[in-house]
Amino acid sequence: MKDRNFLDTVMEFEQQLESMQQQFSALKQFVAHMMEEHQTLQTENLHLRTRLEELLASEANTGKQAEELKKESVDIGEGYDNLARLYNEGFHVCHVHFGSSRKGEDCLFCLSFLNKQNG
Ligand SMILES: [Zn+2]
């Protein structure tokens, strides 16, 4: 190997190392960011769980739960009727095409959505 070639090779290698170092540092930043986000989500999840348990406990105690549920099912019933009517009038009620015309065709998204609402 000639001197000139050798020097070129060494410099090229150095550039590759630098580039890899940059990539590695970006990767480290990414991992740090993900860990931070993971921590935040875990904390939030724990907080929500605690809150949910508090709510369930307090509602069970006051007997309010049954009342709320009754009210909610009435609301859902009305909402369902409106959506079913809209669907029967020929419009999509699914998230995918909501509000657009079905052009006379049945839509599986709509039907499964309505099924869920009714059940
Ligand atoms: Zn649809």
Side-chain angles (χ1 to χ4, degrees):
M1 197 185 271
K2 285 181 184 161
D3 283 357
R4 179 73 207 155
N5 264 343
F6 178 70
L7 203 61
D8 281 352
T9 309
V10 168
M11 279 166 66
E12 210 174 282
F13 187 53
E14 189 184 16
Q15 273 174 3
Q16 282 175 359
L17 279 178
E18 270 169 18
S19 154
M20 275 170 72
Q21 201 171 23
Q22 275 170 11
Q23 283 176 35
F24 184 69
S25 136
L27 191 65
K28 260 198 325 198
Q29 258 177 5
F30 179 72
V31 169
H33 178 71
M34 292 302 283
M35 281 169 73
E36 215 172 277
E37 202 161 273
H38 176 76
Q39 184 64 46
T40 308
L41 287 174
Q42 232 171 10
T43 309
E44 192 179 316
N45 196 358
L46 187 71
H47 176 74
L48 288 172
R49 259 177 219 279
T50 313
R51 192 78 189 94
L52 180 65
E53 272 163 26
E54 278 172 17
L55 280 173
L56 287 177
S58 77
E59 286 192 356
N61 284 341
T62 55
K64 220 165 139 191
Q65 200 177 16
E67 226 177 78
E68 289 290 313
L69 278 178
K70 213 193 288 171
K71 211 173 90 188
E72 211 167 279
S73 72
V74 169
D75 286 350
I76 287 174
E78 281 174 9
Y80 171 79
D81 285 348
N82 286 335
L83 289 174
R85 196 179 315 134
L86 199 62
Y87 182 80
N88 287 330
E89 284 169 7
F91 296 99
H92 282 282
V93 294
C94 61
H95 296 298
V96 192
H97 307 292
F98 190 88
S100 62
S101 166
R102 288 193 288 117
K103 296 174 183 141
E105 290 172 3
D106 278 332
C107 170
L108 288 178
F109 295 119
C110 286
L111 291 175
S112 97
F113 178 65
L114 286 173
N115 263 336
K116 263 185 232 155
Q117 295 294 303
N118 204 19

